[in-house]
Amino acid sequence: MYAIGEEETVGDAEYVNIWTLPERPARGPKPVYSRAQITEAAIRIADAEGLEAATMRRIAAEIGAGAMSLYRYVPSRDNLIELMADRLMGEIDLTGVPSGDWRADLTRYADGLRAMWRAHPWIAAVQRSLPGLGPNQLLLIERLMGVLDPLVPIDENLGLMALLNGYVEGAVREEISAAEELRRSGLSEAEWMARGHAHVDRLVKSGDYPIFTKIVMEARRPHLSRDDQFRHGLRRVLDCVAAALPPTAQPAG
Amino acid sequence: MYAIGEEETVGDAEYVNIWTLPERPARGPKPVYSRAQITEAAIRIADAEGLEAATMRRIAAEIGAGAMSLYRYVPSRDNLIELMADRLMGEIDLTGVPSGDWRADLTRYADGLRAMWRAHPWIAAVQRSLPGLGPNQLLLIERLMGVLDPLVPIDENLGLMALLNGYVEGAVREEISAAEELRRSGLSEAEWMARGHAHVDRLVKSGDYPIFTKIVMEARRPHLSRDDQFRHGLRRVLDCVAAALPPTAQPAG
DNA sequence: CCGCAATTGCGTACAACGTACTCAGTGGAG
DNA sequence: CTCCACTGAGTACGTTGTACGCAATTGCGG
């Protein structure tokens, strides 16, 4: 009787919340490595060769450990990637935010987020659905949402920050797209240009895509620098934010 | 001499542009399957069980083929995913766009994009850096960018559409996050609530994260329905677009 | 100070993945 | 008709994440 369910191995994927799991229990030999060290090594590899190159064996080799040793510190590779993502959030420096000048604060955040993405383009491939609840992420939420917190209701605030995040991510994705695609393909730049542009040129020459053609022309000879383009778009977003604020809180017109 | 490069197998990853590669050459036995059929089967599996479940063997089984047969139609799994993504873009119906009423057109696009994301949440895990140049994507670009094309310069247009896309993606990511996380974890809803919420509750009760606490409270008892929230945010984005247009083109104040 | 038990690093092993290679069979072009 | 470019598919390989087990190490109760 009761043969079904006897084994209790129902779920195949054991879900683990890394933020509830303490790094070190007690007693036993001194650990040689650490979560932080492993996370750092993984980020170093991902920066240099992409996220897919950051395999467990490769990371272990980077710090001079055996492959399975990592599992004494981290439950799974997915959890490690969560740690990596949170570590990256810590790179966005928001000390002193909120300062009282919301426009300056949000600009600083946008610049910081952009810099982080450009330094670690592989973050585009992570992008979890839930925001993640690591210490750095939480601190960031507190500070960023604190900028507009007394001025607008919380749901309005969330919407505006989603808008800001969306703008920055979209803009940076465009910036890093060419470089990332090039790296992923594994081709030399000349070869990649030859293959990729051949198709684009064919589309352009066909005459069927007039607006796409305009985009290509603009992309090949942009009017503004990357930085200016970003600043310009950001100003537009911030104007949008300003419009959503109550009229009593408009420091710099 | 010239030993180096003799083999020509320099790169390990052979980059293939799927859009230049014709599906059928000529001559030989009639193919039993087709790219479209394979793409459709893959999408069906991804919809039901997530993108990671759409393995080559699984897709092949779905259409009753051998695993390796798929490679007669598609060079690699990555290319197949490109096909899937482009197929999804075709779900966004923009016939008759641009219509002359830019606000209506952009609303229709936003609603269509949102519906597509909600129907195929795994698209969040794809998100290539480059936009991709499949037929559906190209058609979408032509129509969407055509909405504002004569009104604003092309680089401005690109920025505004990036803003719109960013808003929709951000909003939908939040909408689907809980469901996706639940599915990925493989737990029952009750179990997931118990584990996930326990951590959130601890953070809330600690008192260290006042703004995070506000967010949680709002999320648990939202003031507006999902749809209303989306509409509200979208209106704000469109107001932002309106502000960037020249004063001569303001049809509906 | 001495064992005991908890915990370490890590070698071995396995299942699942993408996909290279191979080959018998098929069917349009000459 | 013959020919050969093409088909579907079986087998096999390299790489991945990770379960398991074992010898070595160390803090703690006595």
Side-chain angles (χ1 to χ4, degrees):
Chain A
M1 291 181 178
Y2 295 113
I4 298 168
E6 192 181 343
E7 274 286 316
E8 278 292 54
T9 56
V10 189
D12 25 290
E14 186 66 23
Y15 176 79
V16 176
N17 187 334
I18 186 85
W19 309 115
T20 23
L21 195 73
E23 171 155 16
R24 306 274 98 236
R27 185 99 143 269
K30 283 257 170 68
V32 182
Y33 317 106
S34 72
R35 263 191 202 171
Q37 182 189 3
I38 293 169
T39 308
E40 221 62 42
I43 289 175
R44 217 176 309 130
I45 295 169
D47 285 349
E49 306 166 47
L51 188 62
E52 74 275 8
T55 66
M56 297 305 268
R57 287 169 233 260
R58 182 88 172 66
I59 297 167
E62 175 84 7
I63 61 174
M68 290 312 292
S69 304
L70 302 189
Y71 287 94
R72 294 284 173 195
Y73 301 86
V74 163
S76 73
R77 184 170 184 263
D78 281 352
N79 281 123
L80 176 54
I81 291 176
E82 276 190 76
L83 289 176
M84 293 165 72
D86 190 72
R87 205 331 296 267
L88 257 48
M89 294 303 166
E91 282 187 15
I92 303 172
D93 178 29
L94 287 189
T95 48
V97 167
S99 69
D101 181 351
W102 65 264
R103 206 158 179 124
D105 287 349
L106 295 187
T107 302
R108 208 169 118 201
Y109 168 70
D111 286 341
L113 183 58
R114 177 169 175 246
M116 188 272 274
W117 270 65
R118 285 160 59 112
H120 314 282
W122 49 267
I123 193 68
V126 177
Q127 279 305 76
R128 308 199 52 64
S129 28
L130 276 177
L133 296 174
N136 289 315
Q137 178 80 263
L138 278 172
L139 187 60
L140 203 68
I141 289 175
E142 284 298 310
R143 285 189 166 142
L144 179 62
M145 297 288 298
V147 170
L148 297 183
D149 182 49
L151 302 174
V152 300
I154 193 71
D155 54 341
E156 190 89 359
N157 196 346
L158 273 173
L160 290 170
M161 291 307 103
L163 182 66
L164 180 61
N165 272 312
Y167 167 70
V168 176
E169 286 186 21
V172 181
R173 263 211 173 85
E174 256 177 62
E175 288 190 59
I176 63 181
S177 63
E180 267 297 279
E181 206 73 7
L182 180 62
R183 191 191 55 68
R184 270 181 55 93
S185 74
L187 280 81
S188 73
E189 185 154 1
E191 216 175 346
W192 183 77
M193 292 268 287
R195 296 217 211 182
H197 279 203
H199 183 212
V200 170
D201 280 345
R202 204 169 316 121
L203 291 171
V204 166
K205 289 217 182 76
S206 78
D208 295 331
Y209 307 99
I211 298 181
F212 174 73
T213 301
K214 278 173 100 169
I215 297 170
V216 171
M217 295 308 173
E218 167 66 23
R220 287 183 182 167
R221 212 179 311 275
H223 291 130
L224 270 63
S225 75
R226 290 250 182 249
D227 285 5
D228 287 342
Q229 213 167 317
F230 181 76
R231 292 266 167 190
H232 179 69
L234 181 58
R235 190 162 28 239
R236 185 168 35 228
V237 174
L238 295 184
D239 287 345
C240 194
V241 171
L245 294 182
T248 56
Q250 307 282 353
Chain B
M1 291 183 179
Y2 296 114
I4 299 169
E6 192 182 344
E7 273 287 316
E8 280 290 53
T9 57
V10 191
D12 25 291
E14 187 66 24
Y15 176 79
V16 176
N17 187 332
I18 187 86
W19 309 116
T20 26
L21 196 72
E23 173 156 15
R24 306 275 97 235
R27 185 101 141 269
K30 281 257 170 70
V32 180
Y33 317 106
S34 72
R35 264 191 203 171
Q37 183 189 2
I38 293 169
T39 306
E40 221 63 42
I43 289 175
R44 218 177 306 129
I45 296 170
D47 285 349
E49 306 166 46
L51 187 62
E52 74 274 9
T55 66
M56 296 305 268
R57 286 169 233 258
R58 183 88 172 64
I59 298 166
E62 176 85 7
I63 61 173
M68 290 312 294
S69 303
L70 302 190
Y71 288 95
R72 294 283 172 195
Y73 301 85
V74 163
S76 74
R77 184 170 186 264
D78 280 352
N79 281 125
L80 176 55
I81 291 177
E82 276 189 76
L83 289 175
M84 293 164 71
D86 190 72
R87 198 345 286 270
L88 257 48
M89 293 303 165
E91 283 187 14
I92 304 171
D93 178 27
L94 287 188
T95 47
V97 168
S99 70
D101 182 350
W102 65 264
R103 206 159 180 122
D105 286 350
L106 295 187
T107 301
R108 207 169 120 201
Y109 168 69
D111 286 341
L113 183 58
R114 176 168 175 248
M116 188 271 274
W117 269 65
R118 284 159 61 111
H120 314 283
W122 50 267
I123 192 68
V126 178
Q127 278 306 78
R128 309 199 51 66
S129 29
L130 276 177
L133 297 173
N136 289 316
Q137 179 82 46
L138 278 171
L139 186 60
L140 203 68
I141 290 176
E142 285 297 311
R143 284 190 166 143
L144 178 62
M145 296 288 298
V147 171
L148 297 184
D149 180 50
L151 301 175
V152 300
I154 193 71
D155 53 342
E156 192 88 358
N157 197 345
L158 273 173
L160 290 170
M161 291 307 103
L163 182 66
L164 179 61
N165 273 311
Y167 167 71
V168 176
E169 287 186 20
V172 182
R173 263 212 173 84
E174 257 177 62
E175 288 189 59
I176 64 181
S177 64
E180 268 295 279
E181 206 73 8
L182 180 63
R183 191 193 54 72
R184 271 180 55 91
S185 74
L187 280 81
S188 74
E189 184 152 3
E191 216 175 347
W192 183 78
M193 291 267 288
R195 296 217 213 181
H197 279 204
H199 183 212
V200 170
D201 280 344
R202 204 170 314 121
L203 291 170
V204 166
K205 289 218 183 75
S206 78
D208 294 332
Y209 308 98
I211 298 180
F212 174 73
T213 301
K214 279 174 100 167
I215 297 170
V216 171
M217 295 308 171
E218 167 66 24
R220 287 183 182 167
R221 212 178 312 274
H223 292 130
L224 270 63
S225 75
R226 290 249 183 251
D227 285 5
D228 287 342
Q229 213 167 318
F230 181 76
R231 292 263 168 192
H232 179 70
L234 181 59
R235 191 163 25 239
R236 185 167 35 227
V237 174
L238 295 184
D239 287 345
C240 195
V241 171
L245 296 181
T248 56
Q250 308 282 355

